[in-house]
Amino acid sequence: QVQLVESGGGLVQAGDSLRLSCESSGRTFSNGNMGWFRQAPGKEREFVAAMRLRGGYTYYSDSVKGRFTISRDSPKITMYLQMNSLKPEDTAVYFCAVAPGGILSSIRTADYYDYWGQGTQVTVSS
């Protein structure tokens, strides 16, 4: 059984940084997509960042490009999201997800991810 567990969220001020972690267990992922999504109150879940597990190519939403960095620690099968220059509009619950058979065209679409963490709250005050 695959389990994803996020950590690292918290309350910070605008301009601060946070690093989210997502530890996986139960299976090794070597292909497909892994990503981060977020959901603010009253809004739909939105794409934040993703990585192709083979090749390491990264993709970002326009709202976080240049501020957030997705990475992976392969031996430990841990995924990270480094978030710099945080803004109040980044406030949301952040989820990590994995799509072992995911293809490039679906990398930004939450529906195509098979495994999800429980989420971690990030709150950015102005």
Side-chain angles (χ1 to χ4, degrees):
Q1 184 176 351
V2 174
Q3 201 170 19
L4 302 177
V5 179
E6 301 99 335
S7 61
L11 172 62
V12 297
Q13 293 187 332
D16 286 350
S17 298
L18 276 176
R19 189 175 82 155
L20 305 183
S21 300
C22 174
E23 292 197 28
S24 64
S25 61
R27 178 177 170 178
T28 301
F29 301 107
S30 60
N31 203 5
N33 305 325
M34 64 177 196
W36 288 94
F37 293 77
R38 67 187 182 187
Q39 188 166 19
K43 295 188 177 181
E44 293 189 354
R45 191 168 298 190
E46 66 170 351
F47 169 77
V48 175
M51 175 184 284
R52 292 285 287 164
L53 290 168
R54 183 166 292 179
Y57 300 102
T58 57
Y59 304 85
Y60 298 92
S61 68
D62 289 342
S63 62
V64 307
K65 193 176 298 182
R67 299 188 298 123
F68 290 12
T69 303
I70 186 173
S71 62
R72 180 192 182 195
D73 183 351
S74 295
K76 295 183 179 180
I77 318 174
T78 301
M79 182 167 59
Y80 303 100
L81 184 68
Q82 178 67 42
M83 305 186 296
N84 298 330
S85 302
L86 282 162
K87 304 176 181 179
E89 51 262 45
D90 294 319
T91 295
V93 178
Y94 283 70
F95 300 88
C96 63
V98 177
I103 59 177
L104 180 58
S105 61
S106 64
I107 199 167
R108 297 172 184 263
T109 307
D111 288 346
Y112 289 98
Y113 284 77
D114 303 289
Y115 303 105
W116 291 84
Q118 82 289 349
T120 185
Q121 177 71 47
V122 172
T123 303
V124 184
S125 63
S126 57

